[in-house]
Amino acid sequence: MNLIPEEQALVEAARAARVHAYAPYSRYMVGAAVRTTEGQIFTGCNIENASYGLSICAERVAVFCAVAAGARAIEAVAIVTEDGATPCGACRQVLMEFAPDPARCCVILATLDEVVARYTLATLLPQAFGFTGAAPESSV
Ligand code: THU
């Protein structure tokens, strides 16, 4: 699958992040990289815990790193696993929160040596929940 250089760079960042995965329980290593609308790249890996439910996926680590650094708008994501897996439902919802244009937010799935698929976030999470209540502007 052909990628433009920007997308290839995102996949390489996700591959590099995967090396740091802490997955002694599942032995399933995941790397993720997100690119913001300002062109910054943030990465994450999955981090497991002896109390299994406390484990966190690579995609959410990448998104949370971006948000903690002040970013708010994600336009592309690359995920690297041994088998080119798709992101879990929880991560799709978290990505949705920070994707201003889900129909154009590109989700690239890759293995260690090839890109296997690309989707838009809107395709992966159709009819997503979005908060519609009215919070005072000062509270966000
Ligand atoms: N995992 C991710 O990092 N991303 C996903 O989208 C699905 C699963 C991690 C969580 C856990 O550490 C391991 O993969 C096995 O589920």
Side-chain angles (χ1 to χ4, degrees):
M1 186 170 294
N2 286 331
L3 296 182
I4 61 173
E6 271 183 336
E7 293 171 334
Q8 193 59 47
L10 202 60
V11 170
E12 292 309 327
R15 283 198 182 114
R18 181 179 173 276
V19 171
H20 302 297
Y22 177 73
Y25 305 104
S26 72
R27 303 268 176 212
Y28 188 75
M29 299 170 74
V30 186
V34 299
R35 189 179 67 242
T36 70
T37 53
E38 294 182 343
Q40 287 180 292
I41 291 178
F42 295 92
T43 62
C45 59
N46 55 329
I47 304 171
E48 299 184 345
N49 193 275
S51 179
Y52 298 167
L54 300 182
S55 302
I56 185 166
C57 295
E59 297 89 326
R60 272 176 285 160
V61 172
V63 172
F64 294 159
C65 280
V67 173
R72 291 292 185 273
I74 290 168
E75 64 176 15
V77 188
I79 303 162
V80 171
T81 58
E82 63 194 30
D83 55 359
T86 53
C88 81
C91 289
R92 294 179 199 200
Q93 180 70 32
V94 168
L95 284 163
M96 187 63 76
E97 183 77 20
F98 298 103
D101 190 352
R104 288 179 192 275
C105 181
C106 186
V107 180
I108 303 164
L109 307 180
T111 63
L112 300 195
D113 44 33
E114 63 177 347
V115 174
V116 297
R118 50 184 299 168
Y119 299 95
T120 68
L121 184 57
T123 302
L124 289 178
L125 190 62
Q127 309 299 327
F129 175 77
F131 187 65
T132 53
E137 195 63 29
S138 59
S139 71
V140 295

